[in-house]
Every structure is written in structure tokens, then in C-alpha cells.
Amino acid sequence: MPDESIPVTSSVRIPRREVDVVTTTSGGPGGQHANRVATKVELRFDVASSSALSDAQRRRVIERLGPEIRVSAGDERSRARNLALAERRLADRLREALRVPRSRTPTRP
């Protein structure tokens, strides 16, 4: 069985049960296969009700991305590859939203 969570940072892992997965037909490359098989994957992550984030992390993500994050992937012909790609995109967006900018220390010329 695959890992039960999506790694975002060394301390943050999103449980897969908190991510809604919707598959649809994708169009694009793949010809008739892409028009008949639900290979496009859309992930929805409800930030406001997530147990994986602390209150400060939740506030930071909601401030930057909103209460729900949606990512989709239909680049590949395989549903499994699109799911992996969508999970990677979700983790990348969360990682960027959680990043705390370092304060600049002024130096003398």
C-alpha cells in the first residue's frame, strides 16, 4: 500500500484522506484513449479543516492561497502518473505558502 501521507516539508505531511480526488476525461495527447478514460486528476485540499497544519501554518496558507487549494494534472496518459504529478504540485504550492521569508539584515556599504 502506498504511503498514507503526502510529504510537504520535513515536518508537514498531508494525510491522503484529507485530499479529495476527482478524475475526469482529459483530452489532449492520447487520442481516443484520452477521450474515453478518466485520466485527468483534480485534487482539492481543505486547508481550514486540515489536522496536518498548526494554527499559524493554517493562517499563513489561507492568507496566501485561500481556504481551499485545487490542483489538476492531465499531462500524462496514465491516471497514476497524473495523480503523482498533482500530488507533487499540491506539495509544491503548500511548501511555497508555508515558507517564511527571512528578514533582511542591513549592512553598511
Side-chain angles (χ1 to χ4, degrees), residues 12-14 18 45 47-48 50-58 61 94 98:
V12 177
R13 298 179 74 82
I14 303 299
E18 292 186 4
F45 176 60
V47 177
S50 175
S51 64
L53 302 171
S54 69
D55 289 337
Q57 290 171 331
R58 189 174 298 110
V61 172
L94 278 171
L98 287 169

Side-chain angles (χ1 to χ4, degrees), residues 3-18:
D3 190 17
E4 294 298 320
S5 62
I6 302 168
V8 177
T9 65
S10 58
S11 61
V12 177
R13 298 179 74 82
I14 303 299
R16 290 188 197 280
R17 61 178 158 50
E18 292 186 4

Side-chain angles (χ1 to χ4, degrees), residues 6-105:
I6 302 168
V8 177
T9 65
S10 58
S11 61
V12 177
R13 298 179 74 82
I14 303 299
R16 290 188 197 280
R17 61 178 158 50
E18 292 186 4
V19 178
D20 295 327
V21 179
V22 178
T23 58
T24 58
T25 56
S26 68
Q32 185 176 358
H33 172 78
N35 297 328
R36 295 180 58 114
V37 180
T39 55
K40 181 178 180 182
V41 175
E42 180 180 316
L43 301 181
R44 281 182 283 199
F45 176 60
D46 186 10
V47 177
S49 66
S50 175
S51 64
L53 302 171
S54 69
D55 289 337
Q57 290 171 331
R58 189 174 298 110
R59 278 193 303 273
R60 173 173 274 115
V61 172
I62 289 174
E63 179 182 301
R64 293 181 178 179
L65 299 176
E68 183 180 72
I69 301 172
R70 290 179 180 224
V71 294
S72 64
D75 307 17
E76 303 286 337
R77 289 185 62 179
S78 162
R79 182 181 307 156
R81 288 195 300 251
N82 281 332
L83 178 61
L85 187 59
E87 287 177 351
R88 196 172 325 124
R89 289 176 183 171
L90 175 65
D92 290 345
R93 290 190 67 191
L94 278 171
R95 190 177 310 111
E96 186 59 34
L98 287 169
R99 191 174 62 79
V100 179
R102 293 192 326 192
S103 60
R104 182 184 176 281
T105 317

